[in-house]
Every structure is written in structure tokens, then in C-alpha cells.
């Protein structure tokens, strides 16, 4: 089972961050999982690839596709009592069970700030939901009329190319990343990464709205990233090529794109048109 959940939060102790709070969010989520099952949390911590993603705080009333600038990402300020949304995804049934056990009233200590969980959404509101892998595949195969894919990166996104970070939304990088994540999760329907790269190279860029950013991970370390919305035409693809691209596109909201998706990077939504 795969799940997209949203925590509706109220800021208990406000203030500001002096760097991107992704690592702090990662720690806060692990404490929630450990409270549910300490042994599972320990085993999960040892895994190289984490079967969950964490997004970035969304202010209520603000569009989820708004392009966030460097200062808002690296130095966000939240006032006491402010309501926020935090998007989480699960690619593992045990992770999903742990996240669904987060109860209203739970306090998330994220560095010096703290947030109270008011509600956990998993019922379709805010584009949440739980789906079986077989349903995801069926949905991709049934999207016969889709002519374009619009991919929105709400949190900073970056890829690892050889030994360097690359913050450019090239279709081949996006879909190769998704192919890796599909394979790592051991999901049905084998995906060949090399074939995916070749197919993605045929996608035609249509329009985009985005920005490059430098993300401050610590006082001494920054890394590149990008945010924004990018649309691609799939009109040149064969029927088989369309199927694989649509399958990975449907998977993207659950797994995120690029590096560090368990630390607030690569939060992804997709719309077909």
C-alpha cells in the first residue's frame, strides 16, 4: 500500500529557522515512528533508502504550487497559533501504519519550534489518499487520453549525477530518479532505467515556471536546488512508452523526486492533461 497524508498543524512555539529545516523534520518524524514501534524505527533508520517522504510546511490559504524563494526556504518564520500543513508519504505498509497512528494533540518538536497535530488527513482532502500498487498501475494504464504531464516541485529538488549535484529539471533526470525509486521499493512491473532515460528524452518541454535556489543545510554547507512547475508533452511516445512514463508520473507524488526526499526535498505533485 502507498499513502499520501497531510498533517494539519498549529504552531505551539513560534520563531524562525536559520537554515532549511528538513533534517529537523526528519528527526521529528522518526520520533513519531519510534513511539509507535521502537524496533521498527531502529530497523528503518538503518536502511539506506527510506520508504517515506517529508514535504515542506505549507501555509494554509496559499497555493501549493507557489514557487518558494531561497529566503522562505532557508529562513522561514512561523508565528504562534499559525496553521500549517505538512505532507508526508509512505511506501511501506509498516510506515503507513505508524503515520496513521499519529494522534491529534501530538507535539512535533522541530528544532526550537514546536507544532501540535490538529488532524491527520488521508481521505481525499488536500489530495491525500491510500492506494494499492495494483490500483496505481491500473490508473496509469487507463490514462489513455493524456497528452501532457505537469510536474510541480514544491520543495527544493536536486539530482546526483556522478559525484556532483545537478539542479536542472531535465526529463531524463526526473524519470530516471523515479525508475530508481520504483526499483528500490521492489514494486511489481519491472522498470528498466536505461529505457526510461531514452523514452524521457523524447518528451517535449511545453512551459515552465520555476527558480533555482541555494539550500542551507548547515552553517557551512549549502547545495543547489530548484522549485517550480514544468509541463511536458507525451505526444511523440508510442503506446508502450506512454505507459511507462505515465506509470512513473503516477508514482511521483508518493516517492518524490531526486535526493533527500526523506529530509524535505523533492516534494512532487503531478497533473495529467
Amino acid at each position: 500500500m502507498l499513502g499520501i497524508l497531510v498533517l494539519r498543524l498549529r504552531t505551539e512555539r513560534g520563531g524562525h529557522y536559520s537554515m532549511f529545516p528538513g533534517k529537523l523534520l526528519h528527526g521529528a518524524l522518526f520520533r513519531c515512528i519510534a513511539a509507535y514501534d521502537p524496533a521498527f524505527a531502529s530497523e528503518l533508520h538503518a536502511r539506506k533508502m527510506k520508504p517515506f517522504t517529508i514535504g515542506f510546511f505549507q501555509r494554509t490559504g496559499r497555493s501549493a504550487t507557489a514557487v518558494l524563494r531561497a529566503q522562505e526556504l532557508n529562513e522561514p518564520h512561523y508565528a504562534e497559533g499559525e496553521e500549517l500543513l505538512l505532507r508526508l508519504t509512505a511506501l511501506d505498509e509498516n510506515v503507513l501504519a505508524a503515520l496513521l497512528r499519529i494522534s491529534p494533540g501530538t507535539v512535533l518538536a522541530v528544532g526550537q519550534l514546536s507544532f501540535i497535530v490538529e488532524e491527520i488527513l488521508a481521505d481525499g482532502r488536500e489530495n491525500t489518499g491510500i492506494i494499492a500498487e495494483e490500483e496505481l498501475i491500473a490508473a496509469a494504464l487507463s490514462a489513455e487520453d493524456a497528452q501532457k504531464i505537469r510536474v510541480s516541485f514544491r520543495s527544493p529538488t536536486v539530482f546526483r549525477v556522478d559525484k556532483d549535484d545537478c539542479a536542472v529539471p531535465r526529463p531524463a533526470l526526473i524519470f530516471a530518479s523515479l525508475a530508481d525509486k520504483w526499483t528500490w521499493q521492489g514494486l511489481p512491473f519491472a522498470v528498466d532505467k536505461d529505457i526510461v532515460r531514452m523514452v524521457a528524452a523524447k518528451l517535449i518541454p511545453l512551459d515552465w515556471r520555476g527558480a533555482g535556489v541555494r539550500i542551507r543545510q548547515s552553517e557551512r554547507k549549502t547545495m543547489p536546488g530548484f522549485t517550480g512547475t514544468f509541463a511536458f508533452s507525451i505526444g511523440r511516445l508510442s503506446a508502450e512508452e506512454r505507459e511507462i512514463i505515465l506509470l512513473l508520473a503516477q508514482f511521483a507524488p508518493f516517492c518524490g523526486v531526486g535526493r533527500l526526499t526523506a529530509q524535505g526535498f523533492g516534494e512532487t505533485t503531478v497533473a495529467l492533461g
Side-chain angles (χ1 to χ4, degrees):
M1 300 293 287
L2 308 172
I4 297 174
L5 316 175
V6 167
L7 301 184
R8 190 166 62 82
L9 306 173
R10 176 170 51 83
T11 306
E12 178 187 48
R13 183 169 60 250
H16 76 279
Y17 294 104
S18 59
M19 61 190 69
F20 185 73
K23 290 184 179 180
L24 299 174
L25 282 165
H26 181 87
L29 183 62
F30 253 106
R31 287 191 290 274
C32 288
I33 295 173
Y36 168 71
D37 188 334
F40 174 63
S42 179
E43 183 269 325
L44 187 63
H45 191 272
R47 294 190 202 179
K48 182 178 179 181
M49 303 308 303
K50 303 297 188 283
F52 62 83
T53 75
I54 302 173
F56 189 73
F57 291 122
Q58 178 185 334
R59 300 180 193 274
T60 56
R62 178 167 182 168
S63 170
T65 59
V67 176
L68 302 177
R69 303 298 177 177
Q71 184 174 5
E72 188 169 1
L73 289 162
N74 289 319
E75 303 174 29
H77 181 278
Y78 303 107
E80 181 180 338
E82 184 175 5
E83 292 188 355
L84 302 167
L85 302 176
L86 179 62
R87 185 175 180 275
L88 310 173
T89 74
L91 296 91
D92 176 290
E93 290 189 359
N94 292 322
V95 172
L96 182 58
L99 297 183
L100 289 172
R101 287 290 295 272
I102 298 174
S103 59
T106 297
V107 176
L108 294 182
V110 186
Q112 297 299 313
L113 280 64
S114 62
F115 307 88
I116 297 175
V117 177
E118 299 279 291
E119 185 179 15
I120 183 166
L121 310 180
D123 57 3
R125 287 176 290 167
E126 299 293 341
N127 297 312
T128 59
I130 297 170
I131 188 172
E133 293 88 342
E134 293 76 14
E135 293 178 82
L136 183 75
I137 294 171
L141 296 179
S142 66
E144 300 174 351
D145 298 329
Q147 294 299 311
K148 68 178 180 180
I149 298 171
R150 185 174 298 276
V151 187
S152 297
F153 303 99
R154 195 182 161 276
S155 68
T157 303
V158 63
F159 305 98
R160 196 69 168 172
V161 178
D162 296 326
K163 296 182 179 181
D164 299 312
D165 289 324
C166 178
V168 181
R170 298 172 185 159
L173 293 177
I174 293 170
F175 285 93
S177 171
L178 294 172
D180 274 339
K181 294 174 188 294
W182 182 275
T183 301
W184 289 332
Q185 289 304 127
L187 297 175
F189 190 92
V191 171
D192 187 301
K193 183 177 176 179
D194 291 333
I195 292 176
V196 168
R197 279 202 188 98
M198 289 188 292
V199 174
K202 298 181 183 181
L203 297 178
I204 304 169
L206 295 176
D207 58 79
W208 64 274
R209 181 172 64 96
V213 292
R214 295 293 305 185
I215 299 303
R216 192 182 307 137
Q217 283 200 297
S218 69
E219 292 182 0
R220 297 184 178 182
K221 181 181 179 181
T222 66
M223 61 188 299
F226 66 87
T227 62
T229 298
F230 304 82
F232 306 100
S233 168
I234 58 176
R236 289 184 178 176
L237 304 186
S238 68
E240 290 184 353
E241 292 170 339
R242 283 169 53 89
E243 287 180 359
I244 192 168
I245 291 297
L246 288 169
L247 174 63
L248 294 174
Q250 299 275 37
F251 185 49
F254 296 92
C255 67
V257 171
R259 299 183 59 210
L260 303 173
T261 52
Q263 295 185 25
F265 280 67
E267 180 181 347
T268 307
T269 60
V270 172
L272 304 180

